[in-house]
Amino acid sequence: MLSAQLPRTRPPAPPSTTGREPIGRAALSVVAVVTLLSVVRAFGPLTYPGDIWRQSDTATIARNFATGGMQLFYPQINWGGAGPGYVETEFPLMPWLSAALYEVFGEHAWLGRLVSLVFMLVATAAFWGLARRLLPVRVARWALVAFAVSPAFMRYGTAFMPEATVLACYLLALLAFCRWLQEDRRIWLVAAAAATSAAALVKPTSLHIGVVLGIWLALAAPSRLRRPSLYLAGVAALVAPALWLWHGARLHAEYGNTFGVLSGGDSKWGSLALWFSPAFYLGNLKTETIFVYGLVGVPLAVLGVVWLWRRRSAGTPTGSVFPLVVGGVVALVVYYFAVGRYSSSDLGIQYHIYSLPYAAICTGAGLAAAAEWLRPRLSATVFAVVSGLAVVALGAQSVNVLAESLRSSAGAFGTCADALTQVSAPGQLVVVGTTSRSVENGVPNNYQEPVIFYLADRKGWSLAADQQDPALLAQYRQEGARFYVAPDSDLVPAGGALSQWLGANATQVRSSGSDGCAVWALDHPVTTS
């Protein structure tokens, strides 16, 4: 039973230092149900307007690995023009593993999404290992339930994106560091450094974990701050990520393609203007409330924070978890300010994946506190029903995520991709227009539209909304482009310069009145001898 009753006649049993407490049938059942629903979701379409662009790029990289020789150090996108499309990106572990499965089973997007699910289950196991070492076992079980039913689990546990991968590495780092704090064995410091390095390779944004670990150590075992081995481990953890970032910057310099990881092309940084904007705070609050806490989790987490605060002293069973929560909250606040351009936007919901373990600990503590109060006041049957209803309420937003994700959100991109496959051959280059601008509010922006390229399996160029210039389209035609795709009618306004150029130099071969998608075959340019 998912109860967290803490005896009133004696202090709670201390958290385990061995981590051998059973997970419990109820908590295990919740994880199993969520896993089963996630498998169902894995066979759905790549979905969500805010995620489908990144899923399309990641899936494209996996496809290109499988067809291009599995060159791990040379990830390729499809919007690199007539070149090979090598791109500056995070270390492509997840798409490479997906491509390895493609080699065996053929290309199926659900294989990549199941790779994400495997990593999410690794993250779940690591979270359980962490929670049962820092919390009384019943509280740890509630925290595990809160982790599993979070909308973040459902949304990114089977997304064709690296979020589940980085969360697994991130939580393995926290677990190893916890064991180092509790056991003081150097092997666990080495393991924490290795997991931190892997997390930073997969997504450099995870480097804020250094702040988490620093605060945790300063509050829990400050004397170890004088150990040289700590700093050697920290430096060692940065070597591989630094080398990969350097390699990625070289790819960008040579081939011109980037996701804006380090060397430009896109900016994720916040600014004073953004930080003084109410939209920044409301955007972050909205994402945390809906996609991490699932609405119902917010008051429970507040209750959990109070519960943890009252047991924060070093001599109590939860004394060792409070420094972790403090470190996590401080680090995340700094992190969300640093990447404020996306953290407060619907395009950056995935940036909040790191909140999940801290939110689950607080929500689980809140559930435990509520259960402690309710259990002596209810019969065993009624308490079981109330516990079940609490889990259902907490997971309601996850169910909504599942339902929404089973409906395709490709929209005009899907229409354009279908049209393009009908009129073009696989080897022909195309130009795809996009409503995103190359520069937004004075900062570089990743405007490239990968969905059509991925769904149609075509390569070519993206044309930003502020680049809809006939001269640029003519240049791409000279370089080999044979089709121009406009997924929005506003990109080619009637009577405009681009409309007139297309009328004189191209033939419209597809159009859709329902969503404005149109495709033009670019007539071969006239050559002069």
Side-chain angles (χ1 to χ4, degrees), residues 8 367-379 383 386-387 390:
R8 298 173 179 276
L367 285 163
E372 178 184 6
W373 186 84
L374 284 172
R375 187 180 177 94
R377 293 166 172 81
L378 302 174
S379 68
F383 179 79
V386 171
S387 296

Side-chain angles (χ1 to χ4, degrees), residues 513-527:
S514 62
D515 52 30
C517 175
V519 181
W520 284 265
L522 302 177
D523 298 336
H524 288 274
V526 177
T527 58

